[in-house]
Amino acid sequence: MKKNLLLTTLLSASVFTAAFAQEVVDQAVVQKIREEGLNHSQVMKTAFYLTDVAGPRLSGSPGLKHAQDWAVGQLKTWGMANVGLEAWGKFGKGWEVEKNYAAITVPYYHAIIAIPKAWTPSTAGPIKGDVVLIKADTITDLDQYKGKLKGKIVITDTKTALVRSTKPDLSRYSDEELQKMAEAQPAAPGGGARGGANNPAFAAMRKLRALRTAMSEFFAQEQVGLVLAQARGTDGTLFTTNGASYAEDAKPVAPELETSGEDYLRIVRLLNGGIAVQMEADVQTKFFDKDLQGYDVVAEIPGTDKKLKDQLVIIGGHFDSWHGGTGATDNAAGSAVMMEAMRILKTIGFKPKRTIRMLLWSSEEQGLFGSRGYVLNHFGDPKTMQLKPEQAKVSAYYNLDNGTGKIRGVYLQGNQEIGPIFKTWLEPFKDLGASTVTISNTGGTDHQSFDAVGIPGFQFIQEPMDYNTRTHHSNQDVYDRLVEDDLKQAATIVASFVYNTSQRPDMMPRKELPKPPPAPAN
Ligand SMILES: [Zn+2]
């Protein structure tokens, strides 16, 4: 009798949800989340440890390891379950800067703004000497310098003047811009082909890249003492890159400093004007090759519903950064927000139906490696679309990696069915500026690893702020660029999305499973 009655109740309950497939948001819980997230936030404290305390978190570096260990400890303190580091696969060598000094000494003293390119070697102790201006428009132009550059400090005339923008660095979305995003149409399958190979600008870029590669090899062979490279950026901001590979068998390169545009062009102008420039420099970098594995931070709030606890709601962001700053907006911001969302949910005593898992990826900057490796180990291979059973158990993945700006809405990643669901979930956050749902895709970060194997993966729409103009991969990506109110808002909304995903009767609707890409032609 009891059994039958239960069955009838269950049956009518499921009919009810199917017939009125409308999202229900528990306002009382949202209120609790808002109270904790907006009025008792610890997001800036977390960000402080990830940036000022840990320093740069370049993949494989001690800074990253330090921050990962700190996060593991903090997540345990907050009472999370299954906290630890999980290896995603082989990365390569770690690297860090131990000393970085460079200055012009003739015609007068001036310390320059310059940062070693990642994975480049040390100078041979302190070095001093004339700066040699290399004039090479083609690879054969390099021949004239054979045997003449050993131990020298070299610079090339890039003929790249600084272009300063008249627009302000920092911006927020206007209502019109958000409206445009909301009205976007689904992208045509296959996307826009660009036929770039015949584009003259593309050909010129390829030629320049070949010349730069040849120069890099030439400078290594000639045992150049130090190479100055012109960094992208203006106003003392310089955007960093890597000057060599992190692979174990990476080709040797010369020591190389990414130099601020202003300092670089001053040296070039002096040399072109026939005025000798002397410099002194001492650049010491260190490689780490004991453990070549890459790791992700993992933590959970276990599900409590008998039927649903094996299902997962995953949130994450990448934890690694570049080395010129402390990776505050890219992506201590997203990492701190995700940790804070977990803390909020734990603090309000939430017992989720589905299990909530947070992952903080490494080596995103080198190619989404941390999330791709994790997805491959747990969910499936996007190359073959061979899926693992756990793939069917992930309801959704939410990512944050577009800087410090608050959440204005969410990209649907082409998943139309989810639009009305997210709209309902954003309803209680209209007063905080988050209401836009766009069908558009956004790329360049870790939700793509999930999307690639058919798991609904999303990245939020964030205010641009000065992410693209000033902080993204630059020496200005530091704690002071973080906007406290924006990060509090983001953590509150993420926590609420996680709450809704873990409690709704059904898993999130999925798009059609992607087809495996065609095998490359031999
Ligand atoms: Zn990033």
Side-chain angles (χ1 to χ4, degrees), residues 318 330 364-365 401 467:
H318 74 89
D330 187 20
E364 187 269 356
E365 296 295 1
D401 178 27
Y467 192 59

Side-chain angles (χ1 to χ4, degrees), residues 80-322:
M80 303 303 159
N82 306 320
V83 184
L85 296 180
E86 182 175 321
W88 54 259
K90 185 175 166 184
F91 170 66
K93 290 179 288 187
W95 177 92
E96 73 174 1
V97 179
E98 296 202 313
K99 188 173 191 178
N100 175 27
Y101 169 68
I104 297 168
T105 52
V106 170
Y108 44 80
Y109 183 86
H110 166 67
I112 65 170
I113 301 175
I115 296 172
K117 282 194 177 181
W119 288 284
T120 56
S122 309
T123 56
I127 60 168
K128 198 176 171 105
D130 288 326
V131 182
V132 179
L133 180 65
I134 303 288
K135 293 190 171 171
D137 296 323
T138 65
I139 295 171
T140 45
D141 288 345
L142 291 170
D143 292 346
Q144 58 185 307
Y145 299 103
K146 243 179 206 160
K148 295 178 185 164
L149 299 178
K150 191 169 178 187
K152 300 278 191 219
I153 299 168
V154 301
I155 194 166
T156 50
D157 188 350
T158 56
K159 301 183 179 78
T160 308
L162 295 190
V163 181
R164 298 184 64 202
S165 175
T166 52
K167 289 185 195 151
D169 279 352
L170 202 139
S171 67
R172 290 183 182 269
Y173 281 124
S174 65
D175 291 346
E176 292 73 32
E177 285 170 312
L178 289 168
Q179 187 59 29
K180 231 178 167 178
M181 289 170 99
E183 287 165 3
Q185 294 302 307
R194 274 184 220 149
N198 297 324
N199 184 329
F202 190 79
M205 210 165 75
R206 240 186 347 205
K207 201 177 145 200
L208 186 67
R209 200 173 294 158
L211 177 63
R212 290 209 177 135
T213 307
M215 259 186 201
S216 168
E217 280 170 15
F218 181 74
F219 291 154
Q221 279 162 16
E222 296 294 312
Q223 295 174 284
V224 162
L226 179 64
V227 178
L228 301 180
Q230 183 178 351
R232 192 168 62 80
T234 62
D235 305 78
T237 295
L238 65 92
F239 295 89
T240 45
T241 58
N242 56 319
S245 167
Y246 42 80
E248 274 170 294
D249 55 354
K251 273 190 197 162
V253 295
E256 186 164 359
L257 282 182
E258 215 135 38
T259 308
S260 72
E262 291 86 353
D263 285 331
Y264 192 92
L265 293 174
R266 182 197 308 203
I267 298 169
V268 170
R269 279 192 302 271
L270 285 167
L271 293 171
N272 272 331
I275 296 162
V277 177
Q278 284 181 11
M279 272 185 68
E280 58 185 18
D282 188 1
V283 177
Q284 300 303 316
T285 65
K286 192 172 176 183
F287 289 87
F288 302 86
D289 56 7
K290 265 203 187 118
D291 183 1
L292 301 171
Q293 293 289 302
Y295 298 88
D296 299 320
V297 176
V298 58
E300 288 186 346
I301 304 176
T304 55
D305 183 278
K306 246 189 255 167
K307 281 189 186 150
L308 300 180
K309 66 181 180 189
D310 288 343
Q311 294 179 2
L312 292 165
V313 184
I314 307 183
I315 60 172
H318 74 89
F319 207 59
D320 62 307
S321 78
W322 282 96

Side-chain angles (χ1 to χ4, degrees), residues 241-425:
T241 58
N242 56 319
S245 167
Y246 42 80
E248 274 170 294
D249 55 354
K251 273 190 197 162
V253 295
E256 186 164 359
L257 282 182
E258 215 135 38
T259 308
S260 72
E262 291 86 353
D263 285 331
Y264 192 92
L265 293 174
R266 182 197 308 203
I267 298 169
V268 170
R269 279 192 302 271
L270 285 167
L271 293 171
N272 272 331
I275 296 162
V277 177
Q278 284 181 11
M279 272 185 68
E280 58 185 18
D282 188 1
V283 177
Q284 300 303 316
T285 65
K286 192 172 176 183
F287 289 87
F288 302 86
D289 56 7
K290 265 203 187 118
D291 183 1
L292 301 171
Q293 293 289 302
Y295 298 88
D296 299 320
V297 176
V298 58
E300 288 186 346
I301 304 176
T304 55
D305 183 278
K306 246 189 255 167
K307 281 189 186 150
L308 300 180
K309 66 181 180 189
D310 288 343
Q311 294 179 2
L312 292 165
V313 184
I314 307 183
I315 60 172
H318 74 89
F319 207 59
D320 62 307
S321 78
W322 282 96
H323 59 294
T326 52
T329 67
D330 187 20
N331 184 30
S335 299
V337 162
M338 290 305 172
M339 286 179 69
E340 175 69 1
M342 294 292 274
R343 190 197 66 78
I344 292 168
L345 293 170
K346 190 77 195 170
T347 306
I348 65 165
F350 178 44
K351 302 268 184 286
K353 288 183 175 169
R354 295 183 175 85
T355 293
I356 300 164
R357 184 179 295 167
M358 183 198 65
L359 287 150
L360 301 172
W361 316 111
S362 66
S363 303
E364 187 269 356
E365 296 295 1
Q366 285 73 39
L368 318 186
F369 294 154
S371 60
R372 282 188 176 151
Y374 188 88
V375 164
L376 187 67
N377 295 339
H378 286 262
F379 307 128
D381 185 350
K383 286 200 190 97
T384 58
M385 284 310 286
Q386 294 266 325
L387 301 175
K388 300 192 174 195
E390 212 182 344
Q391 188 270 3
K393 294 190 170 162
V394 186
S395 184
Y397 171 73
Y398 301 105
N399 193 74
L400 205 67
D401 178 27
N402 281 337
T404 190
K406 71 178 174 186
I407 289 176
R408 301 304 308 270
V410 60
Y411 295 93
L412 292 178
Q413 216 67 23
N415 187 334
Q416 255 169 322
E417 249 187 283
I418 281 185
I421 302 173
F422 283 167
K423 269 190 193 147
T424 313
W425 293 1

